[in-house]
Structures are given as C-alpha cells and as structure tokens.
C-alpha cells in the first residue's frame, strides 16, 4: 500500500490539527491529486469482488431492455439473489442487520407489504388505513416509552428510519429556537458516541454540533455537557444506548441539565427503545431514559430494529404537539395545491407502516418481553465468553450490544479473520474495537458458541500470521493511522462511487 509511504512522509509526521489544511493545500498540485487518485483506485479496487459478486453470474443492465422481460424469469432471478444472501443473516452471522428474521415472521411481514403495496400516506383520502396505522404506531410507542399521562401529551410521527427520526428532531429544535428565540446560529450538544446521524443533521440543517467527551465507562461526561451550553444551544442529546459501545448515557442528569438551561433534550433510543422497557420489567438495571424524566422532550425509537418490523420505519416522539409542529412542512401558494408533509419525504410507502403496525400488534407486550429476555441472556453469555479470552477487553458495562478490543492483537485483523468465517461485525474507532449487536438471530441454538469459537480461532490466526488479514481490515487499519481525515473521507467517497458502478 503506497498510501502508507506517503503517510510515513510529510503527511504522517504532522499532527491531525494541521494535517487537514496541509493536505488541502497539497491537493491543489495536480501531481499530488493524480497520485492520491491512483492510491484510492488501488485500495478500492481491492474491494471490487466483495461488493460486486454477481458480475459473472447474472446479466448486467446498462439501459432499459427494448421490450420488457418476462416476469417469471425476473422473479426467478430475484429469488436466486435473495437465496444467495439469506443464509448469512439467517444463521446469525451479522451484528444487528436483521433483528427477528424467523421464517413465519418474515412471511407475515411480506404479506402485510403485499396487501398494502400501493398505499401512500400522502393521500390520506385514498388510504385512511395508512393514517390509522401510523397514528397507532406512534401512540403505542409513546405509551411504551413513558408517554402516558404526561401534562403535554407525547405525540410524534412515523419516519423512514433512525436517521430520519434524528434529522427531523434536530430540525425541529432549530426551527423552534429560530421562531421563539431568534437564534440564527443554532448549536446542538451530543456525546462523541452519539450516532453519526447527528453529524448529518448538523451538516444538512446548518447547526453547529458540539461533541462532548465520554468518561471511562463510555458514558457522556455531564460536566462537559454543562460547560458546552451556550446562548445558542437548542438541544442536548443522549443515547439509550449508544451505537458504538451499547452503554446508556446518564440521561437523568443530562435531561435535568437541559431542563435547567431551558433547552430541548433528545434521547436517542433508536437501538434501545424496543428493548429497555422490557429489560426493565425483567429486572435488569435500566436507568431512567424515557418521558418519565421531565427533561426529556423528544425521543427516537426504531421499529425496524428491535421493533421487529420490515426495514424502513422508525418513530420520532415529542413532548407536546406545539413542539411537533416545528417538524412539519406546509406550502400554501404552490400552483400544485395546498401542500403539507410531516416528514422529509413526499410520497411514502404505506406498505411499511402496515407491516410495522402488524409487527407491533402481533408481538404485543409478551412478545417483546420474551424476545428481550432471550437476547439479554444470549448477550450475557457472549459477553462472559469474550471476557474469559486472554487479552480481550469488554468496553463499558453493556447489556446486548457488546463492544470489545484486544490488548494483544490488532482488533481489525481479528475482524478480517472473522469475516473469513462468514462473520460481519462492526468496526469501531477511537479506540479501535469491534462490536456485536445481539439479535434474535443469535439466540438460535449454537450461534453464541459458534461465535465464541470463531473469535478464539480468529485471534489465534492473527497471532500466527499478523498483518495478513484481507477485506476491510487494512482499510480500517489505514484509516486509524491517517491524521488528515480528508484523505479517509475521499477514500469513502471513492467507495460509494464503486457501489454505483454497474
Ligand atoms: C441505528 C441507529 C441509528 C440510525 O438508524 P438508521 O435506522 O440506521 O437510520 C441512530 N441511533 C442509534 C443509537 C442507532 O443504533
């Protein structure tokens, strides 16, 4: 990898604060630019086969066929593709990704989608059923998250996923602060571990994101949050739990602080919204995180994760309709008519709301509680198994998203070796680590044991032959050593380009 040489040279020796500007300056020289493009090309082309496995086995379409293809043939091809991809997630080789996935549940969700495939909540007159589904999804989620009997009734909307829930909540606080306080340079505060969707919100909506550090237990530093509040702060964020290490921020303290400062507080429960209420009932130690805390003014909870709905829905909740209205968009003077939309999209898939509604009702409280019990038991076994391996360290005190690293081997190489055994784990950085988000897939007979066996094997392989892992491992390894993050960012862009190559 020649990039390494370049980094070992002038770019590698400078610290990260000046590396960015230095790289941007160097990049103005065509020779540097060409050289970098060649480096990216080499790195990304190494990933071609993994990303484009079907090039040899299936026809490639570069333009519309002159005449439509046969539906039977097309369905056969769709089935073939789905079959090739099924076993990895079905057998529990992924972290997160598919959260329920049992055959009967998948068939049930597919049937709901099929029945409502034409529905579009944008046309409330044509599909009042979609409106009913969404209103009830929101009501049930709110009731589950402490939203019953609050002075300002908890309300919300259905969105396309956790990212959209977060984007909308942040836009809502920005717009409220502008309308009510004249804040034109809005700031939000979030721990470094809060989901990257908060960066995306900052980027899209012109909000300054102030990231605060975490403490030794991987939870947000409350004192740092207090210091970060300014006159322009519109919202403070905490996660229950955070994506990287699966630990719950001190939501009670943070939301109290937000209440004192008279700013919004958002609990990101995308990951935990449909787990923590049941973990609490099962007697696990769950600190306050929901609307029972008076300072919590909004929440996000992903129905398409542990809500076990088909992919493509999430819920964003607010304390009171006054706050929710800042999320809406209305247009009164468009020749196309009077227009309103609650979320980012215009037309939306009513089928996904139908499936989500059906998933929630088919599980019920007992279904979620039972699923949670199984997940937490399996996760405890995995956590225990990892902690007994020499040199392995569990990060923080997680319940079911288990982050770990090694004191003896390169953890990204372990990730690479695990992928040789079919595993798809999440790589973390700052510090380097991996995590596995335990789902119902891992609660199947023998999966946890297989994971622990394969992890022991992977560590042994890295010890035997360090530096030889393939796939994403070298990319993560490189990314960890590059002070100029613009280089990593450009590399990611080239990777996205690759995804859109036919
Ligand atoms: C998954 C997740 C998100 C983002 O959700 P998407 O559905 O992937 O957009 C946000 N926050 C947390 C804590 C998550 O785990």
């Amino acid at each position: 990898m020649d990039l390494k040489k370049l980094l070992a040279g002038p770019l590698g020796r400078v610290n990260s604060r000046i590396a960015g500007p230095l790289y941007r300056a160097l990049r103005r020289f065509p020779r540097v630019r060409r050289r970098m493009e060649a480096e990216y090309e080499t790195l990304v082309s190494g990933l071609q086969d993994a990303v484009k496995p079907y090039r040899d086995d299936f026809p490639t379409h570069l333009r519309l066929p002159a005449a439509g293809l046969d539906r039977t043939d097309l369905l056969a091809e769709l089935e073939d593709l789905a079959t090739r991809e099924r076993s990895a997630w079905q057998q529990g080789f992924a972290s997160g990704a598919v959260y329920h996935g049992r055959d009967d549940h998948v068939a049930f969700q597919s049937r709901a989608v099929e029945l409502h495939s034409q529905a579009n909540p944008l046309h409330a007159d044509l599909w009042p059923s979609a409106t009913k589904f969404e209103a009830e999804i929101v009501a049930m989620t709110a009731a589950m998250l402490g939203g019953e009997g609050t002075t300002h009734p908890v309300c919300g909307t259905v969105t396309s996923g956790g990212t959209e829930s977060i984007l909308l909540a942040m836009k809502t606080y920005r717009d409220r602060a502008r309308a009510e306080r004249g804040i034109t340079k809005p700031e939000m505060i979030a721990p470094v571990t809060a989901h990257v969707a908060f960066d995306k919100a900052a980027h899209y909506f012109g909000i300054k994101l102030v990231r605060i550090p975490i403490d030794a237990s991987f939870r947000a530093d409350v004192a740092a949050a207090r210091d970060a509040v300014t006159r322009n702060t519109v919202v403070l964020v905490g996660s229950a739990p955070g994506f990287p290490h699966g630990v719950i921020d001190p939501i009670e303290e943070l939301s109290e602080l937000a209440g004192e400062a008279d700013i919004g507080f958002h609990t990101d429960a995308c990951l935990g919204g449909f787990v923590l209420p049941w973990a609490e009932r099962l007697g696990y130690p769950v600190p306050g995180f929901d609307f029972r805390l008076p300072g919590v003014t909004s929440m996000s909870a992903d129905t398409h994760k542990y809500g076990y709905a088909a992919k493509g829905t999430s819920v964003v909740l607010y304390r009171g309709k006054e706050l929710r209205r800042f999320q809406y968009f209305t247009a009164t003077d468009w020749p196309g008519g009077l227009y309103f939309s609650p979320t980012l999209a215009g037309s939306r898939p009513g089928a996904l709301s139908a499936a989500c509604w059906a998933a929630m009702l088919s599980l019920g409280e007992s279904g979620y509680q039972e699923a949670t019990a199984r997940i937490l038991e399996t996760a405890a076994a995995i956590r225990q198994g990892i902690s007994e391996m020499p040199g392995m360290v569990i990060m923080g005190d997680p319940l079911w998203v288990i982050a770990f690293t090694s004191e003896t081997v390169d953890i990204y190489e372990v990730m690479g070796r695990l992928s040789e055994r079919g595993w798809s784990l999440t790589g973390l950085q700052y510090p380097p680590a991996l995590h596995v988000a335990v789902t119902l897939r891992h609660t199947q007979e023998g999966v946890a044991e297989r994971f622990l066996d394969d992890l022991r094997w992977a560590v042994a392989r890295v010890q035997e032959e360090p530096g030889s892992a393939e796939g994403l491992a070298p990319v993560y390894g490189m990314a960890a050593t590059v002070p100029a993050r613009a280089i990593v960012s450009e590399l990611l862009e080239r990777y996205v380009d690759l995804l859109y190559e036919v």
Side-chain angles (χ1 to χ4, degrees):
M1 210 181 301
D2 243 28
L3 195 57
K4 274 198 180 143
K5 268 187 224 151
L6 193 73
L7 292 167
L11 272 176
R13 276 197 291 275
V14 297
N15 76 28
S16 62
R17 221 155 42 85
I18 61 165
L22 179 63
Y23 174 61
R24 274 195 295 280
L26 281 172
R27 217 183 171 288
R28 286 201 212 100
F29 296 99
R31 270 191 54 202
V32 174
R33 219 157 49 227
R34 275 199 302 275
R35 172 87 182 274
M36 291 308 292
E37 289 304 334
E39 295 299 340
Y40 296 141
E41 174 69 30
T42 314
L43 269 167
V44 168
S45 65
L47 303 168
Q48 289 250 11
D49 292 348
V51 180
K52 304 286 171 181
Y54 301 128
R55 278 179 172 161
D56 298 334
D57 299 358
F58 292 88
T60 298
H61 305 283
L62 285 166
R63 50 185 303 163
L64 283 170
L69 306 183
D70 184 70
R71 285 180 176 166
T72 314
D73 294 342
L74 288 170
L75 288 173
E77 188 169 329
L78 288 173
E79 191 166 347
D80 191 354
L81 289 164
T83 304
R84 287 174 188 229
E85 292 167 359
R86 187 172 296 117
S87 78
W89 61 258
Q90 199 169 48
Q91 294 175 36
F93 280 105
S95 168
V98 175
Y99 293 78
H100 192 301
R102 202 176 62 209
D103 286 344
D104 61 311
H105 183 75
V106 173
F108 171 64
Q109 287 291 282
S110 302
R111 179 75 180 128
V113 167
E114 193 180 339
L115 288 168
H116 286 265
S117 71
Q118 301 307 299
N120 180 356
L122 188 65
H123 301 278
D125 54 335
L126 284 171
W127 289 287
S129 62
T131 309
K132 169 184 162 66
F133 299 145
E134 298 199 339
E136 293 181 11
I137 291 166
V138 169
M140 290 188 283
T141 308
M144 182 182 71
L145 295 173
E148 270 179 325
T150 49
T151 323
H152 300 277
V154 173
C155 58
T157 67
V158 173
T159 72
S160 63
T163 297
E164 190 183 354
S165 290
I166 289 167
L167 291 177
L168 287 170
M170 297 303 108
K171 184 204 89 78
T172 295
Y173 288 114
R174 181 197 70 171
D175 289 0
R176 179 175 73 170
R178 189 158 50 192
E180 294 184 349
R181 299 191 177 175
I183 291 178
T184 54
K185 292 194 164 76
E187 298 177 12
M188 51 206 242
I189 303 170
V192 289
T193 45
H195 197 273
V196 71
F198 292 98
D199 290 280
K200 204 174 193 178
H203 182 73
Y204 281 4
F205 299 131
I207 308 169
K208 179 179 168 194
L209 174 56
V210 179
R211 288 281 193 175
I212 54 164
I214 47 173
D215 62 20
S217 64
F218 295 88
R219 301 157 77 235
D221 181 333
V222 179
R226 184 171 289 115
D227 290 345
V229 176
T230 73
R231 271 181 315 178
N232 286 325
T233 306
V234 301
V235 61
L236 173 59
V237 172
S239 312
F243 175 84
H245 314 108
V247 299
I248 303 170
D249 283 322
I251 304 292
E252 185 167 353
E253 291 91 325
L254 290 171
S255 63
E256 235 174 67
L257 166 59
E260 284 161 19
D262 202 16
I263 56 175
F265 183 86
H266 183 87
T267 302
D268 179 14
C270 279
L271 202 50
F274 282 82
V275 176
L276 293 176
W278 316 110
E280 185 181 337
R281 278 209 203 172
L282 288 161
Y284 284 87
V286 177
F289 71 101
D290 63 14
F291 286 106
R292 286 170 293 179
L293 298 173
V296 173
T297 51
S298 61
M299 292 186 73
S300 42
D302 282 356
T303 39
H304 71 186
K305 285 183 179 160
Y306 294 94
Y308 308 125
K311 202 58 86 196
T313 62
S314 167
V315 176
V316 59
L317 297 171
Y318 298 99
R319 190 184 290 277
K321 287 179 188 166
E322 294 75 18
L323 183 53
R324 179 175 61 178
R325 282 189 202 116
F326 289 104
Q327 178 182 304
Y328 298 164
F329 175 79
T330 60
T332 55
D333 303 323
W334 181 43
L338 293 174
Y339 188 92
F340 56 87
S341 89
T343 62
L344 290 176
S347 290
R348 293 188 295 120
L352 296 181
S353 295
C356 176
W357 178 85
M360 290 175 75
L361 289 173
S362 77
L363 276 128
E365 296 188 345
S366 59
Y368 283 115
Q369 187 164 320
E370 198 189 305
T372 300
R374 290 174 54 199
I375 286 171
L376 294 178
E377 281 159 26
T378 303
I382 289 177
R383 177 180 168 172
Q384 178 69 22
I386 296 173
S387 67
E388 284 166 5
M389 293 179 202
M392 286 297 209
V393 184
I394 301 283
M395 308 172 91
D397 184 16
L399 278 173
W400 76 97
V401 178
I402 316 291
F404 56 95
T405 191
S406 167
E407 288 172 334
T408 50
V409 291
D410 181 331
I411 199 71
Y412 296 138
E413 291 199 38
V414 174
M415 174 168 78
R417 290 296 178 187
L418 276 171
S419 68
E420 289 172 29
R421 287 271 165 121
W423 289 95
S424 168
L425 296 200
T426 308
L428 311 175
Q429 27 175 22
Y430 309 120
L434 304 181
H435 89 196
V436 55
V438 178
T439 71
L440 283 173
R441 296 287 85 209
H442 305 110
T443 68
Q444 300 174 95
E445 185 74 35
V447 176
E449 292 77 7
R450 187 183 68 209
F451 172 69
L452 293 172
D453 285 346
D454 287 346
L455 181 56
R456 269 185 289 269
W457 172 86
V459 171
R461 284 295 291 128
V462 176
Q463 277 163 342
E464 276 162 33
E465 226 182 304
S468 59
E470 290 179 351
L472 272 179
V475 177
Y476 264 88
M478 185 216 76
T481 64
V482 178
R485 301 315 282 170
I487 293 180
V488 184
S489 170
E490 285 180 356
L491 181 63
L492 295 179
E493 289 169 357
R494 302 308 180 276
Y495 181 77
V496 181
D497 285 345
L498 171 66
L499 298 180
Y500 280 94
E501 298 285 324
V502 288

